[in-house]
Amino acid sequence: INQNFLDYASYVIRDRAIPHLDDGLKPVQRRIMWVLKKLDDGKFNKVSNVAGNCMQYHPHGNASIEDAIVVLVNKDYLVEGQGNFGNIYTGDRASASRYIECRLTELARTQLFQDELTEFVPRYDGRDKEPVTLPAKIPLLLMLGAEGIAVGLSSKILPHNFIELLEAQISILRKQSFTLLPDFKKGGLMDASNYDDGRGSIRLRAKIDVADNATLIIREIPHSSTSESIVSSIEDAVKKGKIKIKSISDFTAKRVEIELKLAPGIDAEKTVQALYAFTECETSVSSRIVVIDGDRPAELTVSEVLKRNTTRLRELLELELKIKEGKLLEDIFFKTLVRIFIENRIYKKIEAAKTSEAVSSNIYKGFKPFEAELWRPLSDSDIEMLLRVPIRRISLFDINKHKEEMDKVQAELEETQKYLKSVTRYTISHLKKLIKE
């Protein structure tokens, strides 16, 4: 029992319920994003099809996967939906997975994936590999928020405004101070005086307009409520005699609109205060940022999470630049080899060779006078590549066109090397571009 319980507890904490600090995703969300990337051709995929593919990586039922897809679609950032994905305002559920479709957003395509920077591990059946974390270049943990209950600990991370997060990251890179508070799609009013950088709680209120002396209209509701739960709490308060309301009409669809008709002689302003005191029109929400950091749970603050995300963003962008620099250097090297090979007729030296060893030896000798033009020594694989250059390309070689291509690649290389000398400035420009987009 001791061994099995510890194994189970460790699994639920690290591989099920708690999001990872690096990419802000729980395992099921990461596997969904990975499957959507593998299926991505720009077209929508049925949610049931995505869930079926995801079950190759996620050793649990399809219902949890389908529910997670619906949550990601309703958050708007990473997955785009087509069909009825429910209503976050009323609490209505989504249609069955066979009727609704989804695909990656452009934000997810450009900011979440880079195979060369991704660490992979075998999936549960060993037939394929899955990412440990995605190389996310956006602060997903604080963007999406998360809620999870594991063994012995729980996590409740509130969502924050995307643009405010990016602006705070710029402040971090510039070594300036910043303040971050939660932000919610449903709107409402917030008292965040006890938020304590994500270690405290906030109070949320519905936004109630006084239309006239006998009519109140609720237009925005707290993050943790739905129009249905608000109406139900008001009805309970009326039954208990806390509030006097003649009728309640819920017109909520794409926007919240709950109309309350007051009993004759009842003061509208006092009723608003009573609604905050006795119904779900005011709620308190606690924040506890528990994440997987490396391979163990850790409790952090909003500032700590964003600073770690910003450091990771800078590292990822630097690695991307180094990969790009390497590819450009190889491209220049290859183009230089081809030019020397054709211009100096080194290919003529292989005509008399009887063996493959003699061919390689003659090419090595042919390039000896031009070693100063190459940024690295010639290798056997380079010779194999030269031997695959088609005769047609040799006979139609255009020196001017080749020079134009070389100049273009050289300019791109110089720009990349310039960015590598000031990665922090490059990271700030990346964030500014993202804010503009």
Side-chain angles (χ1 to χ4, degrees), residues 110-164:
T110 57
Q111 302 300 315
L112 281 199
F113 306 104
Q114 168 62 282
D115 287 358
E116 290 159 309
L117 301 178
T118 308
E119 182 188 348
F120 291 92
V121 291
R123 71 186 195 199
Y124 70 91
D125 64 2
R127 286 195 178 95
D128 198 358
K129 292 188 174 182
E130 62 174 321
V132 177
T133 58
L134 297 176
K137 297 199 282 287
I138 44 179
L140 274 182
L141 187 72
L142 298 174
M143 274 169 61
L144 301 176
E147 207 168 329
I149 299 171
V151 179
L153 55 82
S154 64
S155 182
K156 174 92 173 178
I157 301 164
L158 303 179
H160 295 69
N161 184 287
F162 184 27
I163 302 299
E164 286 176 10

Side-chain angles (χ1 to χ4, degrees), residues 293-305:
D293 182 3
D295 62 352
R296 63 181 60 208
E299 189 167 357
L300 304 174
T301 64
V302 169
S303 302
E304 287 168 343
V305 168

Side-chain angles (χ1 to χ4, degrees), residues 251-314:
F251 302 114
T252 303
K254 286 187 176 180
R255 290 277 176 273
V256 174
E257 188 179 343
I258 303 169
E259 186 181 86
L260 308 176
K261 288 288 184 185
L262 307 185
I266 300 298
D267 183 87
E269 288 297 340
K270 285 183 180 176
T271 304
V272 170
Q273 295 309 313
L275 286 167
Y276 289 141
F278 303 117
T279 73
E280 263 193 34
C281 288
E282 180 178 321
T283 60
S284 179
V285 181
S286 296
S287 168
R288 188 160 184 246
I289 302 174
V290 176
V291 296
I292 301 302
D293 182 3
D295 62 352
R296 63 181 60 208
E299 189 167 357
L300 304 174
T301 64
V302 169
S303 302
E304 287 168 343
V305 168
L306 197 63
K307 283 173 184 173
R308 293 281 293 277
N309 287 165
T310 307
T311 301
R312 180 169 163 80
L313 168 64
R314 190 185 179 284

Side-chain angles (χ1 to χ4, degrees), residues 153-339:
L153 55 82
S154 64
S155 182
K156 174 92 173 178
I157 301 164
L158 303 179
H160 295 69
N161 184 287
F162 184 27
I163 302 299
E164 286 176 10
L165 285 168
L166 298 184
E167 286 171 345
Q169 285 190 296
I170 291 172
S171 297
I172 289 167
L173 291 163
R174 287 176 172 164
K175 294 182 167 54
Q176 297 169 346
S177 61
F178 65 95
T179 305
L180 274 174
L181 297 173
D183 195 11
F184 305 103
K185 277 184 75 174
K186 293 178 188 174
L189 307 169
M190 174 172 67
D191 170 12
S193 54
N194 294 321
Y195 187 51
D196 192 22
D197 204 19
R199 288 169 297 203
S201 62
I202 56 169
R203 286 165 64 215
L204 298 172
R205 279 185 170 184
K207 194 172 181 184
I208 306 172
D209 292 342
V210 180
D212 55 53
N213 290 335
T215 309
L216 301 177
I217 299 175
I218 301 172
R219 299 199 185 275
E220 294 176 10
I221 57 176
H223 166 66
S224 53
S225 307
T226 63
S227 63
E228 194 177 314
S229 68
I230 292 275
V231 169
S232 178
S233 70
I234 294 171
E235 287 171 345
D236 284 346
V238 171
K239 282 178 191 171
K240 291 173 183 173
K242 305 282 187 186
I243 307 170
K244 292 184 178 175
I245 289 175
K246 190 164 66 174
S247 66
I248 306 170
S249 303
D250 187 0
F251 302 114
T252 303
K254 286 187 176 180
R255 290 277 176 273
V256 174
E257 188 179 343
I258 303 169
E259 186 181 86
L260 308 176
K261 288 288 184 185
L262 307 185
I266 300 298
D267 183 87
E269 288 297 340
K270 285 183 180 176
T271 304
V272 170
Q273 295 309 313
L275 286 167
Y276 289 141
F278 303 117
T279 73
E280 263 193 34
C281 288
E282 180 178 321
T283 60
S284 179
V285 181
S286 296
S287 168
R288 188 160 184 246
I289 302 174
V290 176
V291 296
I292 301 302
D293 182 3
D295 62 352
R296 63 181 60 208
E299 189 167 357
L300 304 174
T301 64
V302 169
S303 302
E304 287 168 343
V305 168
L306 197 63
K307 283 173 184 173
R308 293 281 293 277
N309 287 165
T310 307
T311 301
R312 180 169 163 80
L313 168 64
R314 190 185 179 284
E315 288 168 356
L316 288 172
L317 290 175
E318 186 173 12
L319 286 169
E320 277 190 350
L321 287 170
K322 284 178 178 174
I323 289 168
K324 187 178 179 183
E325 180 189 35
K327 287 178 178 175
L328 291 169
L329 283 168
E330 281 298 303
D331 195 15
I332 288 171
F333 182 77
F334 170 67
K335 283 180 163 53
T336 306
L337 281 187
V338 172
R339 177 182 60 76

